[in-house]
Amino acid sequence: MQNKILLIIGAVWVEPNSSAAGKRMLQLINQFLEKGYHITFVSAAQKSEKAIDLRSLGIEEASIELNHSSFDDFIKNLAPNIVLFDRFMIEEQFGWRVAEQCPNAITILDTEDLHCLRKTREFCVKKKINFSIAELLKQDITKREIASILRCDLSLIISTYEIELLKDVFKIPSNIIMYLPFLFNEIDVLQTKKWQSFKEREHFIFIGNFFHKPNVDAVLTLKKNIWPIIKKSIPDAELHVYGAYVNQQIQELNNTKEGFLIKGFAKNANKVVEKAKVVLAPLNFGAGIKGKLTEAMLCGTPSVTTSIGAEGMANNFEWNGFIEDDYAAFANKTILLYSDELIWKNSQQKGIQIINEIYSKQKNSTLFFDVLEGIQSNIEQHRNANFLRSLLLHQTIQATKYMSKWIEEKNK
């Protein structure tokens, strides 16, 4: 194989302590590093103080401009043989430039989650209507994201629900999409021995990035519909709400008397999750798989969530706690889990099984690179089997390309 040069174009800089998306990106980076790739990470976003220094991992970093031909020279000189787009909007912006300057580079889209699914669900919640496939198909964002998937050689899909949706509803060819969930080391006995026991733990926890609207909605749901029931049954209990980018709306929910405490950014999420007795995640909309819930399993902390929260995460395995959509039932199952040591311990064991069977880094990484090598060894045949790719890359329907060129001219 030719030189192993990977270019990652990030929607944002990598913040593994702020979001599941940041952790996911770092997992992918580490897999490519282990395979000996020379990696360059670029982004047009502003870098925050929460972003990690990728250079410390031996990765080159560069800032790029949107709608600017300087990227053409940059990528032509770099000559990557793989380009990874972080979310479909990045592929829209830069995919056509990659295709023009490096036509032989394998293009991979890391969807993070299906944005069209999350946005449609959010729309349905706001409009107080039931989510439906018909509504999903109406949305412009759906057409954009599916087109992006079809333009790439391979798209990484994080949830079993989402990959089935793409195959069954959108009829996406199975050779251009791959189920690749979070990648974790399997939980062994030595790890479980370090966990705090049921009696050593206390309080409830919610954790999530507050740039992410489902997390804001979930905390408001806890405050209004769920926490009052729990607090009445367990008067000395506290709910600790952690997360990056806490906004004023969330900060104002802090109430010491109610035991509803807004703690803000956690530099080490594992440390706060492993001390808690139960993780709460009443998500009313969203997509993908939830980092807060796999984190709970990795810390031996049972959780209570909704069907949206657990969607595509556990396959046929039992949940490490409870799944409830009714708020009163959610609160009552939370009280039961918090109070009953046997149920709590059984739930903890279920979490271990889910991580080891579904999220094994070793198993999933091997499968990923097998697929990637298969595409690389026969890229022409792979692309010929996906005629829609060449159709969508054809200049007559490349609206984003000409919009970008127009913006660049306008800005001169």
Side-chain angles (χ1 to χ4, degrees):
M1 199 186 88
Q2 68 257 57
N3 292 335
K4 293 183 172 183
I5 301 173
L6 168 67
L7 172 66
I8 302 174
I9 311 176
V12 293
W13 293 94
V14 183
E15 295 185 22
N17 294 325
S18 297
S19 69
K23 286 188 175 70
R24 158 70 162 192
M25 181 53 73
L26 190 57
Q27 289 168 2
L28 291 176
I29 285 169
N30 283 328
Q31 295 315 295
F32 279 103
L33 284 175
E34 285 180 20
K35 289 289 182 179
Y37 277 81
H38 176 88
I39 303 175
T40 300
F41 189 100
V42 300
S43 180
Q46 290 287 326
K47 187 185 282 192
S48 88
E49 60 191 21
K50 295 182 177 69
I52 63 166
D53 181 9
L54 293 171
R55 290 167 298 189
S56 67
L57 301 174
I59 294 165
E60 291 187 27
E61 293 184 355
S63 290
I64 52 173
E65 284 187 69
L66 293 174
N67 307 308
H68 202 281
S69 56
S70 58
F71 179 82
D72 301 348
D73 296 328
F74 171 82
I75 193 170
K76 198 170 186 177
N77 290 331
L78 184 66
N81 49 317
I82 299 178
V83 177
L84 189 149
F85 303 107
D86 171 27
R87 298 165 237 209
F88 86 90
M89 305 83 74
I90 295 302
E91 188 280 332
E92 280 185 333
Q93 280 282 347
F94 295 98
W96 64 271
R97 294 185 185 275
V98 173
E100 285 186 357
Q101 303 302 325
C102 299
N104 297 320
I106 306 289
T107 54
I108 302 174
L109 171 61
D110 186 35
T111 55
E112 299 289 357
D113 61 26
L114 283 182
H115 290 60
C116 60
L117 181 62
R118 174 162 43 83
K119 290 288 187 183
T120 304
R121 283 174 168 163
E122 181 184 349
F123 171 80
C124 291
V125 166
K126 282 181 178 175
K127 294 287 183 182
K128 294 184 168 59
I129 57 174
N130 290 328
F131 168 79
S132 65
I133 296 299
E135 197 60 56
L136 177 66
L137 294 172
K138 285 181 195 174
Q139 305 298 318
D140 286 347
I141 192 173
T142 304
K143 300 172 184 71
R144 289 170 55 202
E145 190 161 24
I146 297 303
S148 183
I149 288 169
L150 288 165
R151 281 192 296 265
C152 290
D153 295 311
L154 183 66
S155 291
L156 306 180
I157 314 300
I158 209 162
S159 146
T160 52
Y161 175 83
E162 290 180 2
I163 202 148
E164 293 308 317
L165 184 72
L166 291 171
K167 287 178 181 176
D168 298 344
V169 174
F170 296 101
K171 309 301 179 189
I172 303 292
S174 58
N175 67 321
I176 65 166
I177 52 176
M178 180 181 182
Y179 169 61
L180 189 70
F182 294 145
L183 306 169
F184 299 121
N185 292 320
E186 293 182 22
I187 299 170
D188 59 23
V189 176
L190 285 174
Q191 193 174 337
T192 61
K193 283 181 177 176
K194 293 176 185 174
W195 287 344
Q196 291 190 357
S197 68
F198 175 83
K199 289 184 173 64
E200 288 172 317
R201 296 177 185 235
E202 59 181 355
H203 305 316
F204 300 90
I205 191 171
F206 175 92
I207 192 162
N209 184 327
F210 291 104
F211 272 162
H212 197 55
K213 289 181 182 177
N215 289 331
V216 174
D217 177 79
V219 173
L220 294 171
T221 297
L222 280 167
K223 177 78 169 184
K224 182 182 176 184
N225 305 107
I226 295 169
W227 186 245
I229 302 171
I230 296 170
K231 188 66 175 171
K232 189 175 179 182
S233 179
I234 314 171
D236 60 345
E238 293 176 2
L239 173 61
H240 296 175
V241 176
Y242 286 92
Y245 306 107
V246 171
N247 57 30
Q248 189 177 349
Q249 183 185 25
I250 295 297
Q251 193 59 56
E252 286 175 355
L253 301 177
N254 187 73
N255 189 311
T256 307
K257 189 179 174 184
E258 292 176 6
F260 200 98
L261 308 176
I262 309 301
K263 296 283 191 175
F265 179 65
K267 284 187 177 178
N268 188 327
N270 280 3
K271 281 190 175 177
V272 295
V273 175
E274 66 191 9
K275 289 176 183 175
K277 196 170 273 188
V278 179
V279 167
L280 301 180
L283 295 157
N284 294 311
F285 61 94
I289 56 178
K290 317 305 179 296
K292 60 178 67 63
L293 296 173
T294 50
E295 196 160 50
M297 297 175 200
L298 289 164
C299 294
T301 312
S303 65
V304 185
T305 190
T306 56
S307 52
I308 289 287
E311 180 185 85
M313 287 194 65
N315 300 352
N316 297 319
F317 296 104
E318 288 185 59
W319 192 249
N320 72 317
F322 295 106
I323 301 168
E324 290 289 350
D325 292 323
D326 177 81
Y327 296 147
F330 188 108
N332 289 327
K333 286 290 175 64
T334 298
I335 293 160
L336 177 64
L337 187 57
Y338 192 86
S339 310
D340 191 311
E341 186 172 357
L342 183 60
I343 291 173
W344 188 90
K345 283 182 174 177
N346 285 338
S347 296
Q348 189 181 63
Q349 290 301 311
K350 290 170 186 173
I352 296 169
Q353 186 178 35
I354 291 168
I355 292 294
N356 291 354
E357 293 295 330
I358 299 174
Y359 299 96
S360 165
K361 179 168 68 177
Q362 189 175 2
K363 293 175 194 169
N364 288 303
S365 182
T366 300
L367 286 171
F368 171 51
F369 283 102
D370 285 348
V371 168
L372 193 54
E373 284 166 20
I375 294 171
Q376 286 174 315
S377 65
N378 212 335
I379 184 62
E380 192 174 345
Q381 186 179 336
H382 181 80
R383 287 177 174 173
N384 287 342
N386 179 20
F387 174 72
L388 287 174
R389 176 185 178 275
S390 57
L391 180 96
L392 290 166
L393 285 171
H394 194 267
Q395 60 180 3
T396 55
I397 52 173
Q398 275 285 63
T400 50
K401 170 180 174 177
Y402 294 103
M403 175 61 80
S404 180
K405 284 179 173 289
W406 178 80
I407 291 169
E408 184 175 5
E409 285 300 315
K410 186 171 174 285
N411 288 339
K412 280 181 179 176

